[in-house]
């Protein structure tokens, strides 16, 4: 049964990023859109206000790197004030988080997911293209301190690159109230690496269990999200698995995506989108935009092309 309660919107607020993660936008292959292609804050706020009228209750800001957007604090403040949006969160690489966490919390951000693919400095540099591991770890601690909770850590596991990091990352959940989530790599362009880089989460789980013992089932609400969560015995936090390649969760997916250049995508892997930027910039009345949003929602509800291939796409533009 396709989901009926489509209430979640992921918004890529910029395609720019200060890292060049090999699995997302590898070093030397950076390509960013012209600033004029990116939705302005006024456009994003108007659109999310209309989305809220169509039942969107949860909004996640992503990118590119959302904290690179100059007006991000003001944007969060305005979005937090939209009636109907109950949950405003962000996915960030954490590099700029330590200095911004307190203000983000103050203006209404509820929680953060932080990408962290290795705890070893050299391994982190190899993946992210920059030696910024300590900044990310500081960002994580600051997010915990100011209460941007729950803090979740996202780790994309790539064979021969960071599989060796799984134990250290999972170990973090023993000491800290964080959910460390292992994400199966999804090939997006030929530059991000072949599908053979992907490690099934069953293998990741075996590695964790052989070091820490059997994982305990943990009932945590992911509000229909794709992650399943477990706990290492006596851990403060949790470990989670997002298994987008070895399993199919389309029938549970309640998320729409808005790309940084103003396209609503009902499915990450689907090629089809609705171009709302054209309407916004043509001075279109709310009713016509609402009509388009309802069409996108209807398509999402009827979506049955499980894991359909979109061809090449840029994760930084869509936001993961
Ligand atoms: N810059 C932010 C960050 O690093 O978290 C937000 C943007 S990033 C595109 C959003 C999420 O997409 C991250 O959690 C990242 O791990 C995930 N992601 C990017 N490329 C991916 C890929 N090829 N396969 C699986 N997940 C990917």
């Amino acid at each position: 049964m396709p989901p009926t309660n489509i209430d979640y919107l992921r918004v890529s607020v910029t395609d720019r990023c200060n890292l060049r993660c090999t699995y997302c936008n590898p070093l030397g292959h950076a390509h960013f859109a012209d600033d004029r292609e990116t939705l302005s804050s006024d456009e994003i706020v108007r659109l999310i206000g209309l989305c809220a009228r169509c039942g969107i209750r949860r909004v996640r800001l992503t990118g590119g790197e959302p904290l690179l957007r100059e007006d991000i604090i003001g944007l969060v403040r305005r979005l937090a004030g939209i009636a109907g949006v109950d949950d405003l969160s962000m996915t960030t690489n954490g590099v700029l988080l330590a200095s911004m966490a307190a203000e983000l919390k103050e203006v209404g951000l509820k929680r953060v997911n932080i990408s962290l693919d290795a705890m070893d400095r050299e391994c982190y540099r190899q993946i992210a293209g920059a030696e910024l591991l300590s900044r990310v770890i500081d960002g994580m601690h600051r997010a915990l301190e100011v209460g941007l909770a729950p803090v979740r850590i996202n780790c994309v596991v790539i064979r021969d690159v960071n599989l060796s990091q799984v134990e250290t990352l999972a170990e973090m959940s023993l000491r800290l109230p964080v959910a460390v989530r292992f994400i199966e790599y999804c090939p997006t362009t030929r530059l991000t690496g072949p599908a053979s880089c992907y490690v099934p989460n069953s293998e990741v789980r075996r590695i964790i269990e052989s070091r820490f013992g059997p994982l305990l089932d943990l009932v945590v609400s992911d509000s229909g999200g794709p992650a399943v969560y477990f706990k290492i015995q006596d851990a403060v936090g949790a470990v989670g698995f997002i298994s987008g390649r070895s399993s199919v969760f389309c029938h549970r997916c309640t998320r729409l995506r808005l790309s940084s250049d103003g396209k609503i995508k009902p499915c990450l892997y689907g090629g089809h989108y609705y171009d709302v930027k054209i309407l916004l910039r043509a001075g279109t009345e709310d009713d016509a935009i609402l009509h388009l949003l309802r069409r996108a929602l209807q398509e999402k509800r009827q979506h049955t092309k499980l894991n359909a291939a979109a061809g090449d796409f840029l994760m930084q533009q869509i936001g993961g």
Side-chain angles (χ1 to χ4, degrees), residues 130-149:
E131 284 189 26
L132 293 167
L133 175 63
S134 58
R135 302 247 313 248
V136 182
I137 292 175
D138 288 351
M140 173 182 74
H141 286 295
R142 192 72 187 123
L144 287 167
E145 271 166 31
V146 304
L148 283 172

Side-chain angles (χ1 to χ4, degrees), residues 238-312:
V239 292
F241 299 100
I242 301 180
S243 310
R245 283 189 70 77
S246 64
S247 71
V248 170
F249 40 69
C250 303
H251 55 291
R252 288 194 283 122
C253 177
T254 59
R255 55 192 64 185
L256 280 185
R257 290 175 164 85
L258 173 63
S259 66
S260 51
D261 60 349
K263 298 185 171 93
I264 295 264
K265 284 196 80 175
C267 170
L268 177 61
Y269 302 109
H272 192 225
Y273 60 80
Y274 296 80
D275 194 336
V276 271
K277 186 177 72 185
I278 289 187
L279 297 189
L280 289 167
R281 295 195 178 172
T284 310
E285 299 287 329
D286 285 356
D287 279 352
I289 298 177
L290 284 167
H291 179 72
L292 188 87
L293 293 174
R294 290 192 179 112
R295 272 177 49 210
L297 285 161
Q298 191 53 23
E299 179 182 334
K300 179 76 190 177
R301 286 188 199 98
Q302 291 169 351
H303 188 76
T304 51
K305 292 186 213 120
L306 300 180
N307 277 351
D312 280 11

Side-chain angles (χ1 to χ4, degrees), residues 10 16-19 21 23-25 61-66 91-94 113-117 154-156 158 181 183-188 192 269 315-320:
R10 288 179 73 99
R16 284 166 203 275
C17 195
N18 41 2
L19 297 181
C21 298
Y23 55 77
C24 185
N25 189 7
L61 305 181
T62 170
E65 173 47 40
T91 299
T92 167
N93 61 33
N113 290 1
I114 302 170
S115 292
L116 177 56
D117 302 304
N154 286 343
C155 167
V156 179
I158 317 273
R181 311 181 324 158
I183 301 176
E184 290 179 347
Y185 165 66
C186 153
T188 59
T192 61
Y269 302 109
M315 205 60 110
Q316 91 234 20
Q317 210 167 44
I318 302 176

